[in-house]
Amino acid sequence: MEKFKYPDINPLRIEMSDECQVYKGLEGICVKESRICYIDGKGSRLYYRGYNIMDLVEHSKYEEVVYLLLFGELPSREELESFERKLASKRRLPDGLRGLIRSLPKDSDPMDFLRTTVSAMSLFDDGGDETEKGIGLIAKAPVMLAEFHRYRSGLEPLEPREELSQAGNFLYMMFGKVPEGSEERVMDRAFLLLADHGLCASTFASLVTASTLADIYASITTAIGTLAGPLHGGANLQVLKMLEEVGSPDRAESYVEGMLKSGKRIWGFGHRVYKNFDPRYRAFKRMAREMAELRGRMDLFETAEKVEEAALKRLAHKNIYPNVDFYSGLVYYFLGIPQDLAITMFAISRMAGWVAHILEYWEQNRLIRPKAKYVGELDKKYVPIEER
Ligand SMILES: CC(C)(COP(=O)(O)OP(=O)(O)OC[C@H]1O[C@@H](n2cnc3c(N)ncnc32)[C@H](O)[C@@H]1OP(=O)(O)O)[C@@H](O)C(=O)NCCC(=O)NCCS
């Protein structure tokens, strides 16, 4: 056999490919076919696996929707019960992980905490395939967050309770008492409404990691890191701060007028995809009103409603409408969830969607490897350090 002949590498023959088009922010680019989530931004509709979110929030519960997102169909009663048992049985945190949580600074940023502990979960993995691990992440993330909250508040740790739902157990572990039915239902709906939202930045980021065939812990850790940025999670916290500044319903008009006149944005308004009302906003608004009545805080709800009206008058003609965050912060506030946990609430709800998209992507995996259009120089003469 003839010897392989290595080609000459002639630096003068470098060819620049300049046909490449730049899509800033990847706007309008589809990276996979998906059967999980459809957002109708003009029509103000959101679908999980073909079901309208408004039907799901009315008739379903979070566990049922997690099953739907992961396996593609609504479960039968037996399937749902068996899935609920599975989730509940995976809630207990390994001792090593609990030890790790107790070694972290009490003033850790909650998103840093969640990112770190989700990453550490891979070190305490008890086996099973990636779907099983994903279900473990969905089951354990709220438990880790509640454990962290108790630890930083100097409260006794609690064991998760298997007879409670995901929402019920989370509230129980946060506050040390089994929640009222109405509170559990509100928490359950809040989880459900944020369980997925197509290829938002964090979901896409998780797919980049998953596409290298790194495991699900690495992929979800990426997602949490991406969600932490202020352009993605966190506007609901800003809405609460804004309502505090407004103070009372009668000050809403002048507040909104002043903000817009000075070129500032109204938090909880506007969306890259929805150019109409965000359907999740309607569901959160209803829950915020229910909870405000329950807590005797209609003043706060009315302040929010007046800000909403004042902003709509001035922004709707530009297709800027309230988004999911306008009332979600109020709902968490009325449930007693500390304000600094706002983004982590988003993360523990979205865990279901992240896992579903990663599993779907692996069915037809392709390494995600875009390129940058090189606009720099080439063939510069190398200058030794002494001569620069
Ligand atoms: C979510 C958001 C980043 C989407 O923005 P986008 O689609 O990229 O739109 P742009 O930032 O290009 O804004 C388009 C126009 O609407 C205005 N606008 C957008 N959101 C606005 C808001 N909340 N309040 C006032 N004006 C707003 C912009 O000032 C801009 O006006 P101009 O064309 O006169 O300059 C933006 O609406 C925003 O910053 N909202 C507030 C933060 C928030 O609620 N985030 C949670 C999203 S779920």
Side-chain angles (χ1 to χ4, degrees):
M1 199 188 228
E2 241 181 84
K3 226 177 139 193
F4 178 78
K5 198 163 171 292
Y6 287 90
D8 289 341
I9 297 172
N10 178 353
L12 296 177
R13 279 214 325 255
I14 290 174
E15 278 168 28
M16 292 273 285
S17 90
D18 46 14
E19 313 96 60
C20 128
Q21 165 124 27
V22 175
Y23 296 92
K24 276 199 168 171
L26 296 186
E27 235 177 303
I29 302 293
C30 291
V31 298
K32 67 162 178 165
E33 289 184 342
S34 178
R35 295 179 192 283
I36 298 175
C37 181
Y38 180 68
I39 306 168
D40 173 5
K42 281 198 190 126
S44 178
R45 281 183 284 258
L46 169 63
Y47 298 88
Y48 292 167
R49 297 279 189 187
Y51 294 96
N52 191 310
I53 185 97
M54 299 313 271
D55 287 333
L56 293 171
V57 79
E58 195 60 37
H59 305 295
S60 259
K61 57 197 288 203
Y62 177 65
E63 284 81 346
E64 209 174 342
V65 164
V66 175
Y67 185 99
L68 173 69
L69 289 170
L70 295 186
F71 304 114
E73 300 291 346
L74 283 170
S76 66
R77 188 167 296 284
E78 293 73 43
E79 284 167 335
L80 177 60
E81 282 169 6
S82 143
F83 186 62
E84 284 172 326
R85 279 196 299 276
K86 177 181 279 206
L87 270 172
S89 71
K90 286 178 180 282
R91 279 187 199 136
R92 249 192 81 81
L93 304 181
D95 289 343
L97 195 55
R98 293 184 93 173
L100 174 77
I101 291 173
R102 288 181 175 268
S103 72
L104 297 173
K106 286 189 175 169
D107 61 353
S108 301
D109 175 277
M111 281 299 273
D112 292 348
F113 162 82
L114 199 62
R115 192 193 61 239
T116 304
T117 46
V118 161
S119 173
M121 272 179 69
S122 69
L123 307 174
F124 302 100
D125 179 44
D126 50 8
D129 62 14
E130 296 297 305
T131 306
E132 286 296 312
K133 290 173 192 187
I135 296 170
L137 275 157
I138 297 164
K140 287 188 178 67
V143 173
M144 295 198 299
L145 192 59
E147 176 109 346
F148 171 61
H149 175 64
R150 297 191 72 78
Y151 157 62
R152 71 177 186 171
S153 315
L155 298 166
E156 282 298 304
L158 288 174
E159 295 303 319
R161 290 186 36 180
E162 292 203 11
E163 78 282 14
L164 297 176
S165 66
Q166 281 284 104
N169 183 66
F170 175 66
L171 291 176
Y172 161 71
M173 291 195 68
M174 285 288 292
F175 307 120
K177 75 176 182 57
V178 175
E180 300 284 325
S182 54
E183 292 169 331
E184 180 188 356
R185 185 73 186 121
V186 166
M187 187 71 260
D188 182 85
R189 285 179 172 151
F191 278 160
L192 184 159
L193 287 165
L194 290 173
D196 193 47
H197 208 231
L199 276 210
C200 58
S202 55
T203 306
F204 174 63
S206 77
L207 297 185
V208 174
T209 303
S211 82
T212 70
L213 299 184
D215 71 5
I216 201 150
Y217 297 111
S219 307
I220 300 281
T221 304
T222 305
I224 298 172
T226 308
L227 179 64
L231 293 187
H232 193 352
N236 59 13
L237 179 58
Q238 300 304 330
V239 174
L240 281 182
K241 289 185 179 157
M242 178 175 78
L243 296 180
E244 267 167 27
E245 273 176 47
V246 178
S248 58
D250 56 308
R251 297 193 46 213
E253 274 286 336
S254 57
Y255 178 88
V256 170
E257 183 73 24
M259 289 288 279
L260 294 177
K261 268 205 173 126
S262 58
K264 298 208 177 96
R265 293 187 175 203
I266 305 299
W267 292 103
F269 263 73
H271 199 278
R272 181 60 65 77
V273 185
Y274 295 112
K275 299 301 168 198
N276 195 333
F277 288 93
D278 179 333
R280 301 165 300 170
Y281 136 90
R282 293 179 212 277
F284 269 113
K285 181 172 181 179
R286 212 169 54 207
M287 293 194 289
R289 181 184 282 119
E290 276 168 31
M291 290 299 290
E293 272 169 10
L294 204 68
R295 300 281 187 251
R297 286 302 312 271
M298 280 308 282
D299 58 315
L300 196 50
F301 178 79
E302 279 162 14
T303 304
E305 207 171 30
K306 289 287 177 212
V307 171
E308 181 196 336
E309 281 170 21
L312 267 174
K313 262 198 293 192
R314 292 162 177 88
L315 295 172
H317 71 280
K318 289 168 83 179
N319 290 337
I320 299 167
Y321 290 89
N323 60 47
V324 64
D325 285 323
F326 196 80
Y327 285 102
S328 64
L330 266 189
V331 168
Y332 296 143
Y333 173 79
F334 289 137
L335 284 171
I337 291 163
Q339 291 192 14
D340 69 339
L341 298 191
I343 317 181
T344 50
M345 295 307 297
F346 188 159
I348 62 178
S349 314
R350 186 57 53 83
M351 201 64 71
W354 288 333
V355 172
H357 280 277
I358 292 166
L359 296 176
E360 183 186 63
Y361 194 80
W362 276 334
E363 283 169 18
Q364 294 186 22
N365 189 63
R366 178 141 179 94
L367 176 71
I368 297 176
R369 204 303 188 188
K371 58 182 185 178
K373 180 172 181 169
Y374 182 70
V375 292
E377 297 168 79
L378 289 175
D379 293 333
K380 292 175 83 177
K381 187 172 166 7
Y382 183 80
V383 183
I385 196 158
E386 306 75 37
E387 294 168 29
R388 281 174 223 161

